[in-house]
Amino acid sequence: MPDEKDCFGRLFKQIYILHEMNYIKNTKQKQVTPAQMDILFFLLSRKDQEVTQKDIEGALRLSNPTVTGLLNRMEEKGLIRRVKKEQDRRYRLIQMTDQSRDYMEYLKYARRKGEETIMKGMTTEQVETLRSLLKMVLKNLTEEKP
């Protein structure tokens, strides 16, 4: 049994914290948090489709209150807008603004820098093995019943 500092949960937590700190450092100029950046990248990936808050919650595995808070702050910053759906006025579509579209090249650069930092010193095979193992861990945790 590995000692406490080498337990997977602790290692994942330390990696997550350091990764987030690097994103914050690299995106400070644009005042976009890592979670907001995830939402913007999700919206960009679905640019030709309608996106609701529920879509964001499901794709990013975040709770309704968490996404509501993120979207409120993003709307205040001018990064997104909420538009009532024509066919069903109860739903609001989440859309990128011109400002957030302008930020995307910078945010892509910040994400690329973060990925490069993670992969530093690894071979292509090691990177692919790590990606495969992390996907397996995510699948295992997703399938785990509380």
Side-chain angles (χ1 to χ4, degrees):
M1 182 81 164
D3 70 23
E4 177 59 27
K5 69 178 178 25
D6 291 331
C7 289
F8 289 128
R10 184 172 170 89
L11 290 170
F12 283 128
K13 183 176 181 178
Q14 289 174 325
I15 290 166
Y16 172 78
I17 290 169
L18 290 170
H19 187 58
E20 292 284 294
M21 286 171 51
N22 281 334
Y23 268 142
I24 290 167
K25 181 181 73 179
N26 290 330
T27 59
K28 194 175 195 173
Q29 176 184 344
K30 300 295 184 190
Q31 297 181 332
V32 177
T33 68
Q36 292 170 351
M37 193 163 125
D38 289 341
I39 290 173
L40 290 176
F41 274 106
F42 177 72
L43 292 173
L44 185 66
S45 74
R46 305 268 310 262
K47 66 180 174 195
D48 296 327
Q49 300 169 33
E50 293 182 340
V51 176
T52 64
Q53 179 170 332
K54 203 133 202 79
D55 296 327
I56 294 168
E57 292 167 13
L60 301 181
R61 294 186 174 111
L62 296 171
S63 69
N64 176 279
T66 298
V67 174
T68 297
L70 285 165
L71 293 177
N72 286 344
R73 287 185 292 285
M74 291 175 76
E75 194 168 33
E76 289 168 11
K77 292 178 182 180
L79 297 172
I80 58 114
R81 67 177 155 262
R82 292 173 168 128
V83 178
K84 289 189 178 175
K85 190 172 179 177
E86 288 297 320
Q87 301 86 347
D88 191 339
R89 308 290 277 169
R90 294 173 296 173
Y91 289 98
R92 291 193 174 181
L93 303 177
I94 312 302
Q95 299 175 342
M96 293 177 76
T97 62
D98 289 340
Q99 178 184 346
S100 62
R101 280 188 205 87
D102 291 344
Y103 282 8
M104 289 314 295
E105 284 309 310
Y106 182 84
L107 295 177
K108 286 177 187 177
Y109 168 78
R111 177 169 273 184
R112 194 169 42 256
K113 291 283 290 177
E115 293 286 309
E116 288 171 4
T117 301
I118 289 171
M119 299 180 305
K120 187 168 49 178
M122 293 184 196
T123 65
T124 303
E125 294 79 25
Q126 288 171 324
V127 169
E128 289 311 312
T129 299
L130 177 60
R131 189 180 322 278
S132 174
L133 291 170
L134 289 173
K135 285 180 179 180
M136 188 181 300
V137 169
L138 181 61
K139 181 178 182 276
N140 290 345
L141 291 173
T142 302
E143 293 174 350
E144 183 70 22
K145 302 290 184 235

